[in-house]
Amino acid sequence: MEALIIIEGMVIVLLVVLVAGLLRSHAEILRQLDSLGAGEHHETFLASPRRQSSLGAIGARALHGVTPLGASVSLALADARGHTLLAFLSSTCASCGAFWNGSRQLGLEGVRPVIVTKGVESESPAEIARLAGAELLTIMSTEAWDEFRVPATPYFALVDNGSGRVVGEGSAPDWDRVEDMVRRAIADAGLHRSTAQRKADVDEELADAGFEPGDARLYQRPETP
Amino acid sequence: MTVLSGEGIEVTLPPGWEGVIGRSGAVADGAVRQVVAHFASFPLPAVRGDFGGGATEGMGPQDVLVVLFEFGPEAVGSTLFAAEGMPSISAADFDRSMLQRSIIGQSGVQRFFTTAGRTFCLYVVIGSHLDRVDVVPTVSALLGSLRIK
């Protein structure tokens, strides 16, 4: 009887240790998910740019890599038009399943989605080719992962190809949510242009229309019909 | 400026340009996959034909697409590829009837040549025939930077 009580006590202690370990592991997972903007924070994550510096400042004006079929690629991330949505995915990431196979095209004019995986030293080109399909551009580039400091997958970075700046980045559970966040990030970037940026835009539009600084026509009253 | 290389081809891309150098994907089983390079002043779509089908449809007036398509060794020495070295292009070379797929406003130029014992077709499409004088210097700079081994 005494031995039974001792054994029972040991089992209880083991169970307590096991439960404590599970709770600690669970708390760590929740903490990491929270830092990535997962769960309830999805909607606000991408809309707030974390990095304000231009891509030029971190050394990337273009995205270099290879396709899963072995082609060498260089995509412009600056001095070009539109936006590039970089989707950093991994073949071993369970949450990436919703983004593979090109089954979903973004319904956003001027936004080109590009899947970026790590290079051939980390991923199997054949497996990436199978997962990605042919509908979306897919580039294997560990250099890009380092450049964008990808913290986990799936992870998205929206680049304004004109300025070469990252205007949004973060994580999301599916393409629908990514599309919402991209739309919001583009709208926010447009609203939050500095006075200097807006002035430069106006100067450019005037120059395109043939009006140089100091042009006398700028100071004339508009003709009334 | 960005240097892109692959399949024995090296090019310096002007700012804002992008490129892909690889092999044709649309081949029958057992066929040799030809080397194809696309260089563009606009965002290249994922799905493109060897001669730019799927890409030229979205070109703006100032856009340019440069295609290099390699033919097999059996073409070496043939009359079509008699010209030696990378061709140079002038504004007068562009012709609206030179397009693989006719699109209003666009024009193109096609040249066949041999270099380094390899035979190529150079195909250039511009978004606006009327603006060809504006884009030729950039195209010439790109062609001048091409190195084929």
Side-chain angles (χ1 to χ4, degrees), chain A residues 55-95:
Chain A
L55 284 178
I58 58 169
R61 308 295 285 177
L63 176 62
H64 306 285
V66 295
T67 68
L69 296 179
S72 302
V73 182
S74 175
L75 298 185
L77 295 180
D79 306 316
R81 64 170 181 258
H83 290 77
T84 299
L85 175 67
L86 303 174
F88 293 93
L89 305 180
S90 159
S91 62
T92 54
C93 147
S95 310

Side-chain angles (χ1 to χ4, degrees), chain A:
Chain A
M1 184 64 183
E2 203 171 291
L4 196 63
I5 292 171
I6 291 171
I7 290 171
E8 192 179 59
M10 287 173 68
V11 169
I12 289 170
V13 168
L14 275 173
L15 283 173
V16 166
V17 170
L18 185 64
V19 169
L22 283 172
L23 287 172
R24 185 176 172 187
S25 167
H26 185 64
E28 178 66 15
I29 290 169
L30 287 177
R31 190 188 63 74
Q32 290 194 12
L33 281 173
D34 187 57
S35 71
L36 290 175
E40 295 175 357
H41 303 290
H42 277 311
E43 291 186 12
T44 58
F45 199 60
L46 191 64
S48 304
R50 183 189 68 185
R51 195 184 292 118
Q52 294 298 325
S53 60
S54 72
L55 284 178
I58 58 169
R61 308 295 285 177
L63 176 62
H64 306 285
V66 295
T67 68
L69 296 179
S72 302
V73 182
S74 175
L75 298 185
L77 295 180
D79 306 316
R81 64 170 181 258
H83 290 77
T84 299
L85 175 67
L86 303 174
F88 293 93
L89 305 180
S90 159
S91 62
T92 54
C93 147
S95 310
C96 297
F99 300 102
W100 284 117
N101 207 17
S103 56
R104 173 76 158 79
Q105 294 287 327
L106 288 180
L108 296 166
E109 184 90 10
V111 178
R112 177 177 58 173
V114 177
I115 293 174
V116 187
T117 70
K118 284 192 173 178
V120 294
E121 72 283 359
S122 303
E123 293 274 14
S124 157
E127 179 65 1
I128 296 300
R130 185 187 70 77
L131 288 168
E135 296 303 310
L136 295 183
L137 276 172
T138 303
I139 296 182
M140 305 181 73
S141 171
T142 303
E143 180 189 330
W145 279 54
D146 295 339
E147 196 73 64
F148 285 84
R149 298 175 217 146
V150 177
T153 52
Y155 194 73
F156 302 87
L158 182 68
V159 181
D160 178 342
N161 293 337
S163 64
R165 293 165 63 93
V166 175
V167 294
E169 56 186 342
S171 188
D174 53 50
W175 281 123
D176 285 337
R177 195 62 63 90
V178 171
E179 188 172 314
D180 287 346
M181 294 190 299
V182 166
R183 191 175 285 115
R184 199 173 308 152
I186 291 173
D188 286 348
L191 286 174
H192 291 127
R193 286 178 306 157
S194 67
T195 302
Q197 283 173 320
R198 285 198 296 272
K199 182 177 180 301
D201 289 346
V202 170
D203 286 347
E204 191 178 326
E205 285 178 20
L206 286 169
D208 288 345
F211 290 87
E212 295 300 326
D215 192 306
R217 292 172 291 174
L218 293 171
Y219 305 98
Q220 292 172 353
R221 287 182 181 279
E223 291 179 11
T224 50

Side-chain angles (χ1 to χ4, degrees), chain A residues 64 71-72 74 76 81 112 137, chain B residues 2 5 18-21 44 63:
Chain A
H64 306 285
S72 302
S74 175
R81 64 170 181 258
R112 177 177 58 173
L137 276 172
Chain B
T2 298
S5 62
E18 50 190 58
V20 179
I21 304 173
L44 284 168
D63 288 339

Side-chain angles (χ1 to χ4, degrees), chain B residues 23-130:
Chain B
R23 287 182 177 266
S24 170
V27 292
D29 287 348
V32 176
R33 292 173 46 189
Q34 306 292 3
V35 171
V36 182
H38 291 156
F39 310 118
S41 65
F42 59 96
L44 284 168
V47 181
R48 305 176 308 277
D50 289 340
F51 286 89
T56 55
E57 292 84 346
M59 289 173 66
Q62 295 291 319
D63 288 339
V64 183
L65 174 70
V66 176
V67 176
L68 266 182
F69 184 91
E70 183 173 18
F71 286 77
E74 67 279 2
V76 176
S78 65
T79 307
L80 182 63
F81 296 94
E84 275 287 339
M86 181 64 62
S88 58
I89 302 292
S90 74
D93 295 325
F94 285 92
D95 189 328
R96 289 187 171 102
S97 65
M98 200 69 79
L99 297 170
Q100 292 278 333
R101 183 184 172 198
S102 185
I103 295 177
I104 293 173
Q106 297 183 359
S107 67
V109 58
Q110 201 168 12
R111 292 285 184 273
F112 296 88
F113 66 99
T114 301
T115 187
R118 301 170 66 178
T119 53
F120 288 93
C121 170
L122 168 69
Y123 178 52
V124 182
V125 183
I126 55 176
S128 168
H129 184 70
L130 296 176

